[in-house]
Amino acid sequence: MRYLVAVADHGSFTAAAASLHVSQSGVSAQVAKLEHEVGHRLLDRSARSVRLTDAGSEILPHARAALACVSSIGAVADELAGVVRGSLRMGTVIGCTIPGYLAGFADFRRMHPGVRVSVIEDNSDRLIADLAAGLLDVALVAHTGPLPDGVDGWTLIREPLTAVVPNDHEWAGRTSVSCADLAETTVLSLPVGTGVRSALASTCAAEHVDVQPDVAAHSPDSILSLVELGSGVGVLTASMTARPGLVAVPVARSTRTMLSLATGAGPSAAARAMTGVLQARLS
């Protein structure tokens, strides 16, 4: 069944054999054996690329499900033995340098060297969608509203927006600024799809004021540097703004943005292990 799935996915016996690190004749022989056992030809070998027959199309989903069950049995057996193996797909907000996250990631790699970890950086809305679709196992995401069904989150930070200005700026001594104030100046913020940008849109919509940032940068550090150079007012959360020479002024009636450690439905042993290690470091 594994060989059948590989041929279907790669479109040829040669490519399937290469992906499985076996000989092409071995793949052909095993697929032929499977066809004999089920009593149907599963692959059409007459075309330049190998294609599934009608019977093959019907059987392929069942073969995938059977292989997934076999994999699950192995994962359960490893878990009972206290061993974590397999792969883990981790997502983070772009440019994440939270010390606890980095330290937790390093802890996990030392504790579970048998797990292959791939890391994807993206905007939070896409990370959350990938968690819901099962394309990611664990992700560090920013959001303003509840997470969708099938995604569970542990909130690390919940904070409002601030306007970041140089300490000699006319706003530096104020207790707050409004969306109306922001609409009259040059605003620097994060891109659409981030928690900060969602919070800014929500806050200003409630005030019936349209604020469209003039500059959108993925890195909070880039925004802070531009503020230092006099390019405008940065809109970020307070935890992003610690830098000498700059002042963070609260945005009045701000929607709060949350940073959460989130998992998809039915997390694997590796995903649960990563979540536990990160929670210990980030709590």
Side-chain angles (χ1 to χ4, degrees), residues 138-201:
V138 183
L140 199 60
V141 298
H143 57 106
T144 55
L147 294 168
D149 291 342
V151 177
D152 294 321
W154 179 66
T155 300
L156 311 170
I157 300 171
R158 183 182 283 107
E159 57 184 348
L161 298 175
T162 62
V164 189
V165 296
N167 56 17
D168 58 353
H169 191 275
E170 60 180 313
W171 291 358
R174 295 178 57 169
T175 57
S176 68
V177 297
S178 67
C179 288
D181 293 326
L182 294 174
E184 297 300 320
T185 191
T186 299
V187 172
L188 320 172
S189 192
L190 300 179
V192 172
T194 60
V196 166
R197 190 64 175 269
S198 296
L200 177 61

Short mmCIF file of all heavy atoms in Angstrom, two decimals, residues 138-201:
data_model
loop_
_atom_site.label_atom_id
_atom_site.label_comp_id
_atom_site.label_asym_id
_atom_site.label_seq_id
_atom_site.Cartn_x
_atom_site.Cartn_y
_atom_site.Cartn_z
N VAL A 138 1.80 23.16 15.85
CA VAL A 138 1.88 24.14 16.94
C VAL A 138 2.26 25.48 16.32
O VAL A 138 3.02 25.52 15.36
CB VAL A 138 2.96 23.74 17.97
CG1 VAL A 138 2.98 24.73 19.13
CG2 VAL A 138 2.77 22.33 18.49
N ALA A 139 1.72 26.57 16.88
CA ALA A 139 2.10 27.89 16.36
C ALA A 139 1.97 28.94 17.44
O ALA A 139 1.11 28.85 18.32
CB ALA A 139 1.23 28.27 15.17
N LEU A 140 2.84 29.91 17.37
CA LEU A 140 2.79 31.10 18.22
C LEU A 140 2.12 32.18 17.39
O LEU A 140 2.67 32.61 16.38
CB LEU A 140 4.21 31.51 18.62
CG LEU A 140 4.38 32.41 19.84
CD1 LEU A 140 3.82 31.75 21.09
CD2 LEU A 140 5.84 32.75 20.03
N VAL A 141 0.90 32.58 17.78
CA VAL A 141 0.09 33.48 16.94
C VAL A 141 -0.42 34.67 17.74
O VAL A 141 -0.60 34.59 18.96
CB VAL A 141 -1.11 32.72 16.33
CG1 VAL A 141 -0.62 31.59 15.44
CG2 VAL A 141 -2.04 32.19 17.42
N ALA A 142 -0.65 35.77 17.04
CA ALA A 142 -1.27 36.96 17.63
C ALA A 142 -2.68 37.09 17.06
O ALA A 142 -2.91 36.87 15.88
CB ALA A 142 -0.45 38.20 17.30
N HIS A 143 -3.62 37.46 17.92
CA HIS A 143 -5.01 37.56 17.47
C HIS A 143 -5.76 38.51 18.40
O HIS A 143 -5.33 38.78 19.53
CB HIS A 143 -5.67 36.18 17.44
CG HIS A 143 -5.64 35.46 18.76
ND1 HIS A 143 -6.74 35.31 19.56
CD2 HIS A 143 -4.62 34.86 19.44
CE1 HIS A 143 -6.41 34.64 20.66
NE2 HIS A 143 -5.13 34.35 20.60
N THR A 144 -6.92 38.99 17.92
CA THR A 144 -7.73 39.89 18.74
C THR A 144 -9.03 39.23 19.18
O THR A 144 -9.60 39.62 20.20
CB THR A 144 -8.07 41.18 17.97
OG1 THR A 144 -8.69 40.84 16.72
CG2 THR A 144 -6.80 41.98 17.70
N GLY A 145 -9.52 38.26 18.42
CA GLY A 145 -10.75 37.57 18.77
C GLY A 145 -10.49 36.13 19.14
O GLY A 145 -9.33 35.69 19.20
N PRO A 146 -11.55 35.34 19.39
CA PRO A 146 -11.37 33.93 19.73
C PRO A 146 -10.78 33.15 18.56
O PRO A 146 -11.00 33.50 17.39
CB PRO A 146 -12.80 33.46 20.06
CG PRO A 146 -13.69 34.45 19.38
CD PRO A 146 -12.97 35.75 19.39
N LEU A 147 -10.04 32.12 18.88
CA LEU A 147 -9.49 31.24 17.84
C LEU A 147 -10.61 30.38 17.25
O LEU A 147 -11.59 30.09 17.93
CB LEU A 147 -8.39 30.36 18.43
CG LEU A 147 -7.14 31.12 18.90
CD1 LEU A 147 -6.23 30.22 19.72
CD2 LEU A 147 -6.38 31.69 17.71
N PRO A 148 -10.48 29.94 16.01
CA PRO A 148 -11.55 29.16 15.37
C PRO A 148 -11.71 27.78 15.99
O PRO A 148 -10.83 27.29 16.70
CB PRO A 148 -11.09 29.07 13.91
CG PRO A 148 -9.61 29.22 13.96
CD PRO A 148 -9.34 30.16 15.10
N ASP A 149 -12.83 27.14 15.70
CA ASP A 149 -13.06 25.78 16.16
C ASP A 149 -11.94 24.87 15.65
O ASP A 149 -11.49 25.00 14.50
CB ASP A 149 -14.40 25.26 15.63
CG ASP A 149 -15.59 25.97 16.28
OD1 ASP A 149 -15.39 26.59 17.34
OD2 ASP A 149 -16.69 25.90 15.72
N GLY A 150 -11.50 23.97 16.51
CA GLY A 150 -10.42 23.06 16.12
C GLY A 150 -9.04 23.58 16.45
O GLY A 150 -8.05 22.88 16.22
N VAL A 151 -8.96 24.80 16.95
CA VAL A 151 -7.67 25.38 17.35
C VAL A 151 -7.76 25.78 18.82
O VAL A 151 -8.64 26.56 19.20
CB VAL A 151 -7.31 26.62 16.49
CG1 VAL A 151 -5.99 27.23 16.97
CG2 VAL A 151 -7.20 26.23 15.02
N ASP A 152 -6.88 25.22 19.63
CA ASP A 152 -6.84 25.54 21.05
C ASP A 152 -5.65 26.43 21.35
O ASP A 152 -4.55 26.20 20.82
CB ASP A 152 -6.75 24.26 21.89
CG ASP A 152 -7.99 23.40 21.77
OD1 ASP A 152 -9.10 23.98 21.73
OD2 ASP A 152 -7.86 22.16 21.72
N GLY A 153 -5.83 27.42 22.22
CA GLY A 153 -4.75 28.35 22.50
C GLY A 153 -4.52 28.59 23.98
O GLY A 153 -5.47 28.51 24.78
N TRP A 154 -3.29 28.85 24.34
CA TRP A 154 -2.89 29.23 25.70
C TRP A 154 -2.30 30.62 25.59
O TRP A 154 -1.26 30.83 24.98
CB TRP A 154 -1.86 28.22 26.22
CG TRP A 154 -1.33 28.51 27.58
CD1 TRP A 154 -2.03 28.50 28.76
CD2 TRP A 154 0.02 28.85 27.91
NE1 TRP A 154 -1.19 28.81 29.81
CE2 TRP A 154 0.07 29.03 29.34
CE3 TRP A 154 1.20 29.02 27.18
CZ2 TRP A 154 1.24 29.36 30.00
CZ3 TRP A 154 2.35 29.36 27.85
CH2 TRP A 154 2.37 29.52 29.25
N THR A 155 -3.01 31.61 26.15
CA THR A 155 -2.64 33.01 25.96
C THR A 155 -1.48 33.40 26.86
O THR A 155 -1.53 33.22 28.08
CB THR A 155 -3.84 33.93 26.21
OG1 THR A 155 -4.88 33.59 25.29
CG2 THR A 155 -3.47 35.38 26.00
N LEU A 156 -0.45 33.94 26.25
CA LEU A 156 0.76 34.38 26.97
C LEU A 156 0.69 35.85 27.35
O LEU A 156 1.06 36.24 28.46
CB LEU A 156 2.00 34.17 26.09
CG LEU A 156 2.17 32.80 25.43
CD1 LEU A 156 3.30 32.86 24.43
CD2 LEU A 156 2.41 31.75 26.46
N ILE A 157 0.23 36.66 26.41
CA ILE A 157 0.22 38.11 26.60
C ILE A 157 -1.12 38.65 26.10
O ILE A 157 -1.63 38.20 25.07
CB ILE A 157 1.37 38.79 25.81
CG1 ILE A 157 2.74 38.26 26.26
CG2 ILE A 157 1.32 40.30 25.96
CD1 ILE A 157 3.89 38.72 25.38
N ARG A 158 -1.68 39.58 26.83
CA ARG A 158 -2.89 40.29 26.39
C ARG A 158 -2.66 41.77 26.68
O ARG A 158 -2.59 42.17 27.84
CB ARG A 158 -4.12 39.77 27.14
CG ARG A 158 -5.44 40.41 26.69
CD ARG A 158 -6.62 39.90 27.51
NE ARG A 158 -7.01 38.56 27.09
CZ ARG A 158 -6.78 37.46 27.79
NH1 ARG A 158 -6.13 37.53 28.94
NH2 ARG A 158 -7.17 36.28 27.34
N GLU A 159 -2.49 42.57 25.63
CA GLU A 159 -2.13 43.97 25.86
C GLU A 159 -2.70 44.89 24.80
O GLU A 159 -2.97 44.47 23.67
CB GLU A 159 -0.60 44.11 25.92
CG GLU A 159 0.11 43.60 24.69
CD GLU A 159 1.63 43.66 24.83
OE1 GLU A 159 2.12 44.30 25.77
OE2 GLU A 159 2.32 43.08 23.98
N PRO A 160 -2.89 46.17 25.16
CA PRO A 160 -3.42 47.15 24.21
C PRO A 160 -2.31 47.72 23.32
O PRO A 160 -1.13 47.43 23.50
CB PRO A 160 -4.00 48.22 25.13
CG PRO A 160 -3.12 48.16 26.34
CD PRO A 160 -2.75 46.72 26.51
N LEU A 161 -2.74 48.56 22.41
CA LEU A 161 -1.80 49.22 21.49
C LEU A 161 -1.20 50.47 22.12
O LEU A 161 -1.78 51.09 23.01
CB LEU A 161 -2.52 49.61 20.20
CG LEU A 161 -3.11 48.49 19.37
CD1 LEU A 161 -3.89 49.07 18.19
CD2 LEU A 161 -2.03 47.53 18.88
N THR A 162 -0.02 50.82 21.63
CA THR A 162 0.62 52.07 22.03
C THR A 162 1.12 52.79 20.78
O THR A 162 1.40 52.17 19.76
CB THR A 162 1.81 51.84 22.97
OG1 THR A 162 2.81 51.05 22.28
CG2 THR A 162 1.38 51.13 24.24
N ALA A 163 1.21 54.11 20.91
CA ALA A 163 1.84 54.93 19.85
C ALA A 163 3.26 55.22 20.30
O ALA A 163 3.48 55.75 21.39
CB ALA A 163 1.05 56.23 19.66
N VAL A 164 4.23 54.86 19.47
CA VAL A 164 5.64 54.98 19.85
C VAL A 164 6.22 56.23 19.18
O VAL A 164 6.15 56.38 17.95
CB VAL A 164 6.43 53.73 19.41
CG1 VAL A 164 7.84 53.78 20.00
CG2 VAL A 164 5.72 52.46 19.85
N VAL A 165 6.79 57.10 20.01
CA VAL A 165 7.35 58.36 19.51
C VAL A 165 8.69 58.62 20.18
O VAL A 165 8.98 58.07 21.26
CB VAL A 165 6.39 59.54 19.79
CG1 VAL A 165 5.08 59.38 19.02
CG2 VAL A 165 6.14 59.70 21.28
N PRO A 166 9.55 59.45 19.59
CA PRO A 166 10.80 59.86 20.27
C PRO A 166 10.46 60.62 21.55
O PRO A 166 9.40 61.24 21.67
CB PRO A 166 11.48 60.76 19.25
CG PRO A 166 10.89 60.36 17.93
CD PRO A 166 9.47 59.99 18.22
N ASN A 167 11.39 60.59 22.51
CA ASN A 167 11.08 61.23 23.80
C ASN A 167 11.01 62.75 23.73
O ASN A 167 10.61 63.39 24.71
CB ASN A 167 12.08 60.79 24.88
CG ASN A 167 13.53 61.04 24.50
OD1 ASN A 167 13.81 61.81 23.57
ND2 ASN A 167 14.44 60.39 25.19
N ASP A 168 11.36 63.35 22.59
CA ASP A 168 11.19 64.79 22.43
C ASP A 168 9.99 65.13 21.54
O ASP A 168 9.79 66.29 21.15
CB ASP A 168 12.45 65.44 21.87
CG ASP A 168 12.86 64.85 20.51
OD1 ASP A 168 12.23 63.86 20.07
OD2 ASP A 168 13.81 65.38 19.89
N HIS A 169 9.16 64.14 21.23
CA HIS A 169 7.98 64.35 20.39
C HIS A 169 6.90 65.06 21.20
O HIS A 169 6.83 64.94 22.43
CB HIS A 169 7.47 62.98 19.90
CG HIS A 169 6.42 63.07 18.83
ND1 HIS A 169 5.08 63.23 19.11
CD2 HIS A 169 6.52 62.98 17.48
CE1 HIS A 169 4.40 63.25 17.98
NE2 HIS A 169 5.25 63.10 16.97
N GLU A 170 6.03 65.81 20.53
CA GLU A 170 4.97 66.56 21.22
C GLU A 170 3.99 65.65 21.96
O GLU A 170 3.31 66.09 22.90
CB GLU A 170 4.20 67.42 20.21
CG GLU A 170 3.53 66.62 19.10
CD GLU A 170 2.77 67.53 18.13
OE1 GLU A 170 2.03 68.41 18.62
OE2 GLU A 170 2.93 67.35 16.92
N TRP A 171 3.91 64.35 21.57
CA TRP A 171 3.00 63.43 22.26
C TRP A 171 3.67 62.74 23.45
O TRP A 171 3.00 62.02 24.19
CB TRP A 171 2.51 62.36 21.31
CG TRP A 171 1.58 62.83 20.24
CD1 TRP A 171 1.10 64.11 20.06
CD2 TRP A 171 1.02 62.04 19.19
NE1 TRP A 171 0.28 64.16 18.97
CE2 TRP A 171 0.20 62.91 18.42
CE3 TRP A 171 1.12 60.72 18.82
CZ2 TRP A 171 -0.50 62.48 17.30
CZ3 TRP A 171 0.41 60.27 17.71
CH2 TRP A 171 -0.39 61.14 16.95
N ALA A 172 4.96 62.91 23.61
CA ALA A 172 5.71 62.11 24.60
C ALA A 172 5.18 62.28 26.02
O ALA A 172 5.24 61.35 26.83
CB ALA A 172 7.19 62.47 24.55
N GLY A 173 4.62 63.46 26.36
CA GLY A 173 4.13 63.68 27.72
C GLY A 173 2.66 63.40 27.90
O GLY A 173 2.12 63.59 29.00
N ARG A 174 1.98 62.92 26.87
CA ARG A 174 0.54 62.68 26.95
C ARG A 174 0.24 61.36 27.64
O ARG A 174 1.05 60.43 27.64
CB ARG A 174 -0.08 62.72 25.56
CG ARG A 174 0.02 64.10 24.91
CD ARG A 174 -0.55 64.14 23.51
NE ARG A 174 -1.94 63.70 23.42
CZ ARG A 174 -2.70 63.85 22.33
NH1 ARG A 174 -2.19 64.46 21.25
NH2 ARG A 174 -3.93 63.44 22.32
N THR A 175 -0.97 61.27 28.21
CA THR A 175 -1.39 60.02 28.85
C THR A 175 -2.02 59.06 27.85
O THR A 175 -2.08 57.84 28.10
CB THR A 175 -2.40 60.30 29.98
OG1 THR A 175 -3.52 61.02 29.44
CG2 THR A 175 -1.74 61.11 31.09
N SER A 176 -2.46 59.57 26.71
CA SER A 176 -3.04 58.70 25.67
C SER A 176 -3.15 59.49 24.38
O SER A 176 -3.09 60.73 24.37
CB SER A 176 -4.42 58.17 26.08
OG SER A 176 -5.37 59.22 26.12
N VAL A 177 -3.32 58.76 23.29
CA VAL A 177 -3.63 59.37 21.99
C VAL A 177 -4.84 58.63 21.43
O VAL A 177 -5.10 57.47 21.77
CB VAL A 177 -2.45 59.27 21.00
CG1 VAL A 177 -1.26 60.04 21.52
CG2 VAL A 177 -2.07 57.83 20.72
N SER A 178 -5.58 59.29 20.57
CA SER A 178 -6.80 58.70 20.00
C SER A 178 -6.58 58.30 18.55
O SER A 178 -5.58 58.67 17.93
CB SER A 178 -7.94 59.71 20.08
OG SER A 178 -7.66 60.82 19.22
N CYS A 179 -7.55 57.57 18.02
CA CYS A 179 -7.49 57.23 16.60
C CYS A 179 -7.56 58.49 15.74
O CYS A 179 -6.95 58.54 14.67
CB CYS A 179 -8.64 56.28 16.25
SG CYS A 179 -8.42 54.61 16.90
N ALA A 180 -8.30 59.48 16.21
CA ALA A 180 -8.36 60.75 15.47
C ALA A 180 -6.97 61.39 15.40
O ALA A 180 -6.59 61.96 14.37
CB ALA A 180 -9.36 61.70 16.14
N ASP A 181 -6.20 61.29 16.48
CA ASP A 181 -4.83 61.80 16.47
C ASP A 181 -3.99 61.05 15.44
O ASP A 181 -3.22 61.66 14.68
CB ASP A 181 -4.18 61.64 17.85
CG ASP A 181 -4.81 62.51 18.91
OD1 ASP A 181 -5.22 63.64 18.58
OD2 ASP A 181 -4.90 62.06 20.07
N LEU A 182 -4.13 59.72 15.43
CA LEU A 182 -3.34 58.89 14.51
C LEU A 182 -3.69 59.20 13.06
O LEU A 182 -2.83 59.14 12.17
CB LEU A 182 -3.57 57.41 14.80
CG LEU A 182 -3.05 56.89 16.15
CD1 LEU A 182 -3.48 55.44 16.36
CD2 LEU A 182 -1.53 57.01 16.22
N ALA A 183 -4.96 59.52 12.81
CA ALA A 183 -5.39 59.81 11.44
C ALA A 183 -4.75 61.08 10.89
O ALA A 183 -4.70 61.27 9.67
CB ALA A 183 -6.92 59.94 11.40
N GLU A 184 -4.21 61.93 11.77
CA GLU A 184 -3.61 63.19 11.35
C GLU A 184 -2.10 63.13 11.23
O GLU A 184 -1.45 64.15 11.01
CB GLU A 184 -3.99 64.30 12.34
CG GLU A 184 -5.48 64.59 12.43
CD GLU A 184 -6.05 65.05 11.11
OE1 GLU A 184 -5.36 65.84 10.41
OE2 GLU A 184 -7.16 64.63 10.75
N THR A 185 -1.51 61.92 11.38
CA THR A 185 -0.06 61.81 11.32
C THR A 185 0.35 60.62 10.46
O THR A 185 -0.49 59.87 9.96
CB THR A 185 0.53 61.66 12.75
OG1 THR A 185 1.94 61.81 12.69
CG2 THR A 185 0.19 60.30 13.34
N THR A 186 1.65 60.46 10.26
CA THR A 186 2.17 59.32 9.51
C THR A 186 2.31 58.14 10.46
O THR A 186 3.00 58.22 11.48
CB THR A 186 3.56 59.65 8.92
OG1 THR A 186 3.43 60.76 8.02
CG2 THR A 186 4.13 58.45 8.18
N VAL A 187 1.63 57.05 10.13
CA VAL A 187 1.59 55.87 11.00
C VAL A 187 2.42 54.74 10.40
O VAL A 187 2.32 54.44 9.20
CB VAL A 187 0.14 55.39 11.21
CG1 VAL A 187 0.10 54.06 11.96
CG2 VAL A 187 -0.65 56.45 12.00
N LEU A 188 3.24 54.13 11.25
CA LEU A 188 4.05 52.98 10.88
C LEU A 188 3.57 51.79 11.71
O LEU A 188 3.49 51.89 12.93
CB LEU A 188 5.53 53.24 11.17
CG LEU A 188 6.08 54.64 10.88
CD1 LEU A 188 7.50 54.76 11.40
CD2 LEU A 188 6.03 54.92 9.39
N SER A 189 3.24 50.67 11.06
CA SER A 189 2.74 49.53 11.83
C SER A 189 3.06 48.22 11.11
O SER A 189 3.79 48.21 10.10
CB SER A 189 1.22 49.66 12.06
OG SER A 189 0.78 48.72 13.03
N LEU A 190 2.53 47.13 11.64
CA LEU A 190 2.75 45.81 11.04
C LEU A 190 1.75 45.56 9.92
O LEU A 190 0.73 46.26 9.82
CB LEU A 190 2.62 44.73 12.13
CG LEU A 190 3.61 44.84 13.30
CD1 LEU A 190 3.36 43.73 14.31
CD2 LEU A 190 5.05 44.79 12.81
N PRO A 191 1.97 44.53 9.08
CA PRO A 191 1.10 44.31 7.92
C PRO A 191 -0.27 43.76 8.29
O PRO A 191 -0.50 43.28 9.42
CB PRO A 191 1.88 43.27 7.09
CG PRO A 191 3.26 43.24 7.65
CD PRO A 191 3.14 43.63 9.08
N VAL A 192 -1.17 43.81 7.33
CA VAL A 192 -2.48 43.16 7.46
C VAL A 192 -2.26 41.67 7.72
O VAL A 192 -1.39 41.04 7.12
CB VAL A 192 -3.31 43.35 6.18
CG1 VAL A 192 -4.58 42.52 6.22
CG2 VAL A 192 -3.65 44.82 5.98
N GLY A 193 -3.04 41.11 8.64
CA GLY A 193 -2.88 39.69 8.98
C GLY A 193 -2.17 39.48 10.30
O GLY A 193 -2.10 38.36 10.80
N THR A 194 -1.64 40.57 10.88
CA THR A 194 -0.99 40.48 12.19
C THR A 194 -1.98 40.90 13.27
O THR A 194 -2.96 41.61 13.02
CB THR A 194 0.25 41.37 12.26
OG1 THR A 194 -0.15 42.73 12.04
CG2 THR A 194 1.27 40.98 11.20
N GLY A 195 -1.70 40.49 14.52
CA GLY A 195 -2.57 40.86 15.61
C GLY A 195 -2.62 42.36 15.84
O GLY A 195 -3.68 42.93 16.13
N VAL A 196 -1.46 43.02 15.73
CA VAL A 196 -1.40 44.47 15.93
C VAL A 196 -2.27 45.20 14.90
O VAL A 196 -3.04 46.10 15.23
CB VAL A 196 0.06 44.97 15.86
CG1 VAL A 196 0.12 46.48 15.70
CG2 VAL A 196 0.83 44.54 17.10
N ARG A 197 -2.16 44.78 13.65
CA ARG A 197 -2.95 45.46 12.60
C ARG A 197 -4.45 45.21 12.78
O ARG A 197 -5.27 46.11 12.57
CB ARG A 197 -2.47 44.97 11.24
CG ARG A 197 -3.01 45.76 10.06
CD ARG A 197 -2.54 47.22 10.06
NE ARG A 197 -3.00 47.88 8.85
CZ ARG A 197 -2.28 47.93 7.73
NH1 ARG A 197 -1.05 47.41 7.70
NH2 ARG A 197 -2.75 48.51 6.66
N SER A 198 -4.79 43.99 13.21
CA SER A 198 -6.21 43.70 13.47
C SER A 198 -6.73 44.55 14.63
O SER A 198 -7.85 45.06 14.59
CB SER A 198 -6.39 42.21 13.80
OG SER A 198 -6.06 41.41 12.70
N ALA A 199 -5.91 44.70 15.69
CA ALA A 199 -6.32 45.50 16.83
C ALA A 199 -6.47 46.97 16.43
O ALA A 199 -7.39 47.66 16.89
CB ALA A 199 -5.30 45.37 17.96
N LEU A 200 -5.58 47.47 15.58
CA LEU A 200 -5.68 48.86 15.12
C LEU A 200 -6.96 49.06 14.32
O LEU A 200 -7.69 50.05 14.53
CB LEU A 200 -4.46 49.21 14.27
CG LEU A 200 -4.44 50.62 13.66
CD1 LEU A 200 -4.46 51.69 14.75
CD2 LEU A 200 -3.20 50.80 12.76
N ALA A 201 -7.27 48.14 13.42
CA ALA A 201 -8.49 48.26 12.61
C ALA A 201 -9.73 48.21 13.49
O ALA A 201 -10.68 48.99 13.30
CB ALA A 201 -8.52 47.14 11.57
#
